[in-house]
């Protein structure tokens, strides 16, 4: 039996659960492993830590948006390769793109978590953004994040890590009017290394744009789905109101029906009693008439 594979499968399952269900599910899986005689696996499972809300949202993003995650990891690799050689203008442009993509993915993670009933505060959302920045800057953090099993938010390093050593870019001395050349010198032909850096930068930019566009499209789909949900909620509320009104009318009609049946029964009894009384009265009247006729004939 491959204990590591078994624990790995359980961990993958557990870190897909909302934090509120994690502990009970973990303890149940550990108990099940102990009952099966898998003491080592039981200890490993029992040692799994419950994820924070920020970690859960980050894990959920990795599990639900694999295409965006793959593009984001490519962006991080391109950024780490291109970062050392960029000048101020390029760094500013690329930094802006990085923040746009991070903000878009953080919003997606927040919406996914809220869709699972989890409250995502501003501080939690900030931790999700910090985790994404860490995944961009540090390859080790990127590996942890992309595994989808974080227990807590990641902290981005200062600058980018995992980069080869490179000499710092030195500022060019200012050119004074006295030593300014009469004619501009021709620009040197870019080296192969410079061309490769520009190619990596361009790839990083394209990846950032594609990732941002994909995130924007997903957000638009989410807004459309949310609007459709609101429309259905409203339609359901209106239908519920109609059903409630019809049920009220039905209750009133049934009450009226019961009252009408009681009144009919009482009227039927009164008709029967009146018929009996009328029959008795008619018989008395007929008998009196017959008696009167007999008396009149005797006198004659």
């Amino acid at each position: 039996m491959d204990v590591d594979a078994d624990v790995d499968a359980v961990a993958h399952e557990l870190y897909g659960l909302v934090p509120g269900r994690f502990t009970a599910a973990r303890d149940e899986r550990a108990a099940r492993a102990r009952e099966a005689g898998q003491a080592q696996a039981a200890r490993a499972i029992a040692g799994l830590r419950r994820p924070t809300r920020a970690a859960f949202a980050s894990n959920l993003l990795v599990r639900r948006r694999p295409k965006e995650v793959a593009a984001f990891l490519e962006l991080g690799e391109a950024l780490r390769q291109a970062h050392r050689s960029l000048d101020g203008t390029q760094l500013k442009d690329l930094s802006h793109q990085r923040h746009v993509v991070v903000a878009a993915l953080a919003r997606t993670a927040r919406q996914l978590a809220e869709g699972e009933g989890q409250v995502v505060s501003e501080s939690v959302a900030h931790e999700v953004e910090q985790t994404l920045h860490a995944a961009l800057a540090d390859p080790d953090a990127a590996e942890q994040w992309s595994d989808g099993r974080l227990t807590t938010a990641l902290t981005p390093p200062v600058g980018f890590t995992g980069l080869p050593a490179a000499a710092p870019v030195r500022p060019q001395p200012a050119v004074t009017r006295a030593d300014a050349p009469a004619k501009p010198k021709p620009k040197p032909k870019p080296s192969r290394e410079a061309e490769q850096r520009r190619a990596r930068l361009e790839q990083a930019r394209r990846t950032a744009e594609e990732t941002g566009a994909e995130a924007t499209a997903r957000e638009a789909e989410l807004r459309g789905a949310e609007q459709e949900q609101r429309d259905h909620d409203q339609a359901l509320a209106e239908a519920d109101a109609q059903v409630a009104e019809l049920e009220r009318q039905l209750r009133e009609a049934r009450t009226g029906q019961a009252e009408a049946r009681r009144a009919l029964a009482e009227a039927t009894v009164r008709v029967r009693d009146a018929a009996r009384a009328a029959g008795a009265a008619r018989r008395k009247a007929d008998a009196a008439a017959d008696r009167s006729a007999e008396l009149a004939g005797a006198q004659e």
Side-chain angles (χ1 to χ4, degrees), residues 247-257:
E247 288 177 344
R248 185 190 64 79
Q249 294 178 7
L250 178 60
R251 286 193 299 271
E252 291 181 353
R254 285 177 174 170
T255 300
Q257 182 186 47

Coordinates of all heavy atoms in Angstrom, one line a residue, residues 247-257:
E247 N -53.4 30.1 -1.9 CA -53.7 29.2 -0.7 C -54.6 29.9 0.3 O -55.4 29.3 0.9 CB -52.3 28.8 -0.1 CG -51.5 27.8 -0.9 CD -50.2 27.5 -0.2 OE1 -49.8 28.3 0.7 OE2 -49.5 26.5 -0.6
R248 N -54.4 31.2 0.5 CA -55.3 32.0 1.4 C -56.7 31.9 0.8 O -57.7 31.7 1.6 CB -54.8 33.4 1.5 CG -55.6 34.3 2.5 CD -55.2 35.7 2.4 NE -55.6 36.3 1.1 CZ -56.8 36.6 0.7 NH1 -57.8 36.5 1.6 NH2 -57.1 37.1 -0.4
Q249 N -56.8 32.2 -0.5 CA -58.2 32.2 -1.1 C -58.8 30.8 -1.0 O -60.0 30.6 -0.7 CB -58.1 32.6 -2.5 CG -57.7 34.0 -2.7 CD -57.6 34.4 -4.2 OE1 -57.9 33.6 -5.1 NE2 -57.1 35.6 -4.5
L250 N -58.0 29.7 -1.1 CA -58.5 28.4 -1.0 C -58.9 28.1 0.4 O -60.0 27.4 0.6 CB -57.4 27.4 -1.4 CG -57.7 25.9 -1.3 CD1 -58.9 25.6 -2.2 CD2 -56.5 25.0 -1.7
R251 N -58.2 28.5 1.4 CA -58.6 28.3 2.8 C -59.9 29.0 3.0 O -60.8 28.5 3.7 CB -57.5 28.9 3.7 CG -56.3 28.0 3.8 CD -55.4 28.4 5.0 NE -54.9 29.8 4.9 CZ -53.8 30.1 4.3 NH1 -53.0 29.2 3.7 NH2 -53.5 31.4 4.2
E252 N -60.0 30.3 2.5 CA -61.3 31.0 2.7 C -62.4 30.3 2.0 O -63.6 30.2 2.5 CB -61.2 32.4 2.2 CG -60.2 33.3 3.0 CD -60.1 34.7 2.5 OE1 -60.7 34.9 1.3 OE2 -59.5 35.6 3.1
A253 N -62.2 29.8 0.8 CA -63.2 29.1 0.1 C -63.6 27.8 0.8 O -64.8 27.4 0.8 CB -62.7 28.7 -1.4
R254 N -62.6 27.1 1.3 CA -63.0 25.9 2.1 C -63.8 26.2 3.3 O -64.7 25.4 3.7 CB -61.7 25.1 2.4 CG -61.1 24.4 1.2 CD -59.8 23.7 1.6 NE -59.3 22.9 0.4 CZ -58.1 22.4 0.4 NH1 -57.2 22.6 1.4 NH2 -57.7 21.7 -0.7
T255 N -63.4 27.3 4.0 CA -64.1 27.7 5.2 C -65.6 28.0 4.8 O -66.5 27.6 5.4 CB -63.5 28.9 5.8 OG1 -62.2 28.6 6.2 CG2 -64.3 29.4 7.0
G256 N -65.7 28.8 3.7 CA -67.1 29.1 3.2 C -67.9 27.9 2.8 O -69.1 27.7 3.0
Q257 N -67.1 26.9 2.2 CA -67.8 25.6 1.8 C -68.3 24.9 3.0 O -69.4 24.4 3.0 CB -66.8 24.8 1.0 CG -67.3 23.5 0.5 CD -66.3 22.6 -0.1 OE1 -65.2 22.5 0.5 NE2 -66.5 22.1 -1.3

